[in-house]
């Protein structure tokens, strides 16, 4: 998986692959982003060919390519005042956004619109705004993007989950569980996506911010989140059920 036979910067996004096979184009990107988590190149190859179906192998390679260009080796460059420089908190915010988009793209959970979900609940008429808000919160738990994110982080080993939770402390105590940590990171992603509020707390320095009414010490960095994504990606495809013969 080490021979750079083609540049996939366009092919990964447009799928206009005509000259090389998908493995020839995509394998270098898988190596670039995941080889460090395997004992050898052969170990990564064995993992790849153990993915049950061609469609899933294609999905794996596409995710690796997108992750490489948009996160692993991708930086947001500012040209303000004719100066080309990487702005750390902006590049980290964009990387966080891309990571969660890739996580959501991996999910097989079928999307259901809120109104369609409401009809299935049969809770009509809805008597108050509070009731509607409560139902919307329940909908997000059952069908929202955060459910996909939580499931992804739950694939990490127990030790890794505990280490990540220890990087987010409230009253000197680690975050209760990986779901809470995933929610915290997803909320940070959403504030950037919807309010253009940069995720400044995942830089290299410790940062204090509010979680509800509590002060939280944030030690988790974009490097920690990237490592979690890479290991979660491996776990996602390692857990795929084999196709019956």
């Amino acid at each position: 998986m080490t021979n750079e036979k083609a540049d996939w910067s366009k092919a990964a996004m447009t799928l206009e692959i005509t000259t090389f096979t998908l493995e020839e184009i995509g394998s270098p990107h898988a190596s670039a982003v995941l080889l460090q988590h395997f004992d050898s190149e052969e170990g990564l190859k064995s993992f790849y060919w153990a993915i049950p179906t061609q469609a899933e192998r294609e999905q794996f390679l596409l995710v690796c390519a997108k992750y490489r260009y948009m996160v692993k080796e991708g930086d947001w460059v500012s040209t303000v005042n004719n100066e080309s420089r990487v702005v750390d908190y902006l590049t980290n915010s964009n990387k966080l956004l891309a990571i969660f988009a890739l996580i959501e793209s991996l999910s097989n959970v079928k999307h259901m619109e809120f109104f369609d979900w409401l009809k299935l609940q049969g809770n009509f008429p809805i008597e108050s705004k509070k009731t509607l808000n409560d139902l919307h919160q329940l909908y997000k738990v059952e069908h929202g993007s955060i459910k996909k994110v939580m499931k992804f982080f739950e694939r990490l080993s127990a030790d890794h989950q505990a280490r990540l939770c220890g990087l987010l402390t409230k009253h000197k105590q680690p975050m209760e569980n990986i779901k809470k940590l995933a929610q915290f990171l997803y909320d940070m992603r959403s504030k950037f996506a919807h309010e253009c509020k940069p995720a400044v707390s995942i830089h290299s320095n410790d940062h204090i911010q509010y979680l509800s009414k509590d002060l939280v010490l944030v030690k988790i960095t974009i490097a920690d989140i990237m490592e979690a994504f890479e290991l979660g990606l491996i776990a996602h495809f390692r857990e795929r059920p084999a196709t019956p013969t």
Side-chain angles (χ1 to χ4, degrees), residues 65-242:
K66 292 175 183 178
Y67 175 70
R68 182 182 186 184
Y69 282 103
M70 301 181 73
V71 181
K72 190 81 170 182
E73 299 175 18
D75 284 308
W76 194 92
V77 178
S78 170
T79 57
V80 174
N81 296 326
N82 295 318
E83 296 180 7
S84 294
R85 63 189 183 93
V86 175
V87 183
D88 49 23
Y89 61 88
L90 291 178
T91 202
N92 290 344
S93 299
N94 279 285
K95 288 182 179 187
L96 184 69
L97 188 64
I99 285 172
F100 279 101
L102 290 171
I103 289 174
E104 290 183 50
S105 75
L106 291 169
S107 175
N108 292 323
V109 177
K110 187 176 180 180
H111 178 70
M112 179 180 292
E113 295 292 342
F114 179 48
F115 183 69
D116 293 330
W117 178 84
L118 274 179
K119 289 190 291 185
L120 291 177
Q121 306 310 302
N123 292 329
F124 294 104
I126 297 173
E127 298 179 353
S128 68
K129 184 181 293 186
K130 181 182 182 305
T131 301
L132 180 61
N133 287 336
D134 290 343
L135 286 168
H136 189 237
Q137 291 302 315
L138 180 59
Y139 160 79
K140 289 195 293 184
V141 170
E142 294 186 1
H143 289 280
S145 298
I146 187 59
K147 181 178 181 180
K148 304 172 185 178
V149 170
M150 288 177 177
K151 186 175 181 180
F152 182 88
F153 277 88
E154 285 178 323
R155 288 192 174 95
L156 298 172
S157 70
D159 287 344
H160 196 166
Q161 290 185 35
R163 182 167 66 82
L164 288 174
C165 289
L167 296 175
L168 205 64
T169 57
K170 181 173 62 176
H171 304 306
K172 298 184 179 181
Q173 296 298 315
M175 187 60 65
E176 296 95 316
N177 53 59
I178 198 66
K179 287 185 177 181
K180 294 282 188 180
L181 182 133
Q183 180 73 66
F184 179 86
L185 295 177
Y186 189 80
D187 289 345
M188 191 183 299
R189 162 261 177 215
S190 296
K191 287 179 181 178
F192 179 64
H194 303 301
E195 302 173 23
C196 208
K197 184 176 181 180
V200 295
S201 59
I202 55 172
H203 190 41
S204 57
N205 300 320
D206 295 353
H207 187 85
I208 295 176
Q209 70 179 70
Y210 277 101
L211 178 60
S212 297
K213 296 181 180 180
D214 296 310
L215 285 175
V216 175
L217 177 61
V218 182
K219 294 185 177 182
I220 194 167
T221 67
I222 190 62
D224 297 315
I225 300 168
M226 288 167 61
E227 180 187 41
F229 173 77
E230 291 162 16
L231 293 174
L233 180 64
I234 293 169
H236 173 84
F237 283 97
R238 182 168 279 152
E239 293 174 6
R240 308 306 293 163

Side-chain angles (χ1 to χ4, degrees), residues 1-8 24-25 28-29 31-32 68-69:
M1 287 193 176
T2 55
N3 294 327
E4 293 279 357
K5 292 194 175 183
D7 184 344
W8 220 19
E24 289 176 314
I25 296 173
H29 301 294
S31 293
R68 182 182 186 184
Y69 282 103

Side-chain angles (χ1 to χ4, degrees), residues 33-75:
V33 300
L34 295 179
L35 184 57
Q36 62 182 314
H37 302 296
F38 291 85
D39 293 334
S40 65
E41 189 77 34
E42 287 304 314
L44 176 55
K45 284 183 179 179
S46 296
F47 164 80
Y48 172 76
W49 287 111
I51 298 173
T53 68
Q54 180 65 22
E56 289 172 309
R57 289 193 291 272
E58 290 177 2
Q59 182 187 36
F60 170 75
L61 293 177
L62 286 170
V63 169
C64 286
K66 292 175 183 178
Y67 175 70
R68 182 182 186 184
Y69 282 103
M70 301 181 73
V71 181
K72 190 81 170 182
E73 299 175 18
D75 284 308

